[in-house]
């Protein structure tokens, strides 16, 4: 993952532990005061939310524990790697810009694609000017790498 992605996960973890978890615990306390827990929808809802929060905390801790932060300075400036912003173009189409990130940071709507995606797999290790073939479940197509820069 990128250093930025790691920082975002650390911030999310801190927020979950220091803000969200205490809020949920407080909701559980309030719901308990309403009486019979077997028919208490507020209590059930709060317990369900607590489960989601605790699961996310565990997930983030594990992700951070095994994270491999990529230093883009160790890679040639025109070589595609995690943490690089890449402009590619298919013949006859408008150029597309992608930032290659770790799976945990992936957000295709904002142009951040996972290093596990077919496009990123085809692009990793390539350089400006290279033509790469992207293999997808519906067929393959060629892309020309127009530019590579640090994201």
């Amino acid at each position: 993952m990128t250093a930025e992605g790691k920082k975002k996960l650390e911030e999310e973890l801190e927020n979950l532990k220091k803000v969200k978890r205490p809020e949920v615990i407080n909701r559980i306390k309030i719901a308990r005061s309403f009486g019979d827990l077997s028919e208490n929808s507020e209590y059930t809802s709060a317990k369900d939310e607590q489960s989601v929060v605790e699961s996310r905390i565990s997930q983030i801790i594990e992700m951070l524990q095994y994270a491999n932060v990529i230093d883009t300075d160790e890679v040639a400036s025109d070589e595609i790697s995690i943490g690089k912003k890449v402009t590619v173009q298919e013949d006859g189409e408008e150029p597309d810009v992608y930032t290659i990130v770790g799976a945990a940071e992936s957000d295709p709507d904002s142009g951040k694609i996972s290093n596990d995606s077919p496009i990123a797999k085809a692009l990793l290790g390539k350089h400006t000017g290279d033509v790469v073939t992207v293999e997808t479940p519906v067929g393959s197509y060629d892309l020309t790498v127009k530019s590579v820069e640090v994201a």
Side-chain angles (χ1 to χ4, degrees):
M1 76 175 49
T2 63
E4 178 187 344
K6 182 179 181 193
K7 183 180 179 201
K8 284 182 180 178
L9 283 176
E10 289 169 339
E11 289 170 356
E12 181 183 356
L13 180 61
E14 179 139 346
N15 181 56
L16 287 169
K17 285 181 170 181
K18 292 185 176 180
V19 177
K20 195 67 173 171
R21 181 188 271 165
E23 285 175 359
V24 172
I25 290 170
N26 190 43
R27 281 187 53 214
I28 291 170
K29 286 179 186 177
I30 292 169
R32 277 190 184 144
S33 70
F34 295 152
D36 185 10
L37 299 181
S38 65
E39 295 182 17
N40 188 330
S41 63
E42 289 87 359
Y43 178 78
T44 303
S45 173
K47 289 298 282 182
D48 289 345
E49 185 176 357
Q50 181 184 36
S51 176
V52 170
V53 168
E54 295 302 326
S55 292
R56 183 64 180 155
I57 288 171
S58 295
Q59 181 184 34
I60 293 172
I61 288 171
E62 185 173 349
M63 287 167 47
L64 290 172
Q65 181 178 358
Y66 296 106
N68 181 16
V69 178
I70 302 298
D71 183 4
T72 55
D73 294 336
E74 295 177 3
V75 181
S77 63
D78 74 333
E79 182 180 343
I80 300 171
S81 68
I82 293 176
K84 297 283 183 93
K85 186 175 184 178
V86 184
T87 303
V88 295
Q89 186 172 16
E90 189 175 357
D91 283 340
E93 300 290 330
E94 290 293 316
D96 291 313
V97 179
Y98 301 110
T99 301
I100 300 179
V101 296
E105 304 169 72
S106 177
D107 182 8
D109 291 338
S110 64
K112 293 182 177 183
I113 61 171
S114 166
N115 61 315
D116 293 327
S117 70
I119 294 173
K121 282 182 178 180
L123 291 171
L124 289 172
K126 303 299 190 268
H127 298 84
T128 303
D130 287 352
V131 176
V132 297
T133 301
V134 179
E135 300 289 340
T136 68
V138 294
S140 62
Y141 57 96
D142 292 332
L143 294 174
T144 303
V145 178
K146 296 295 187 181
S147 69
V148 179
E149 58 189 76
V150 175

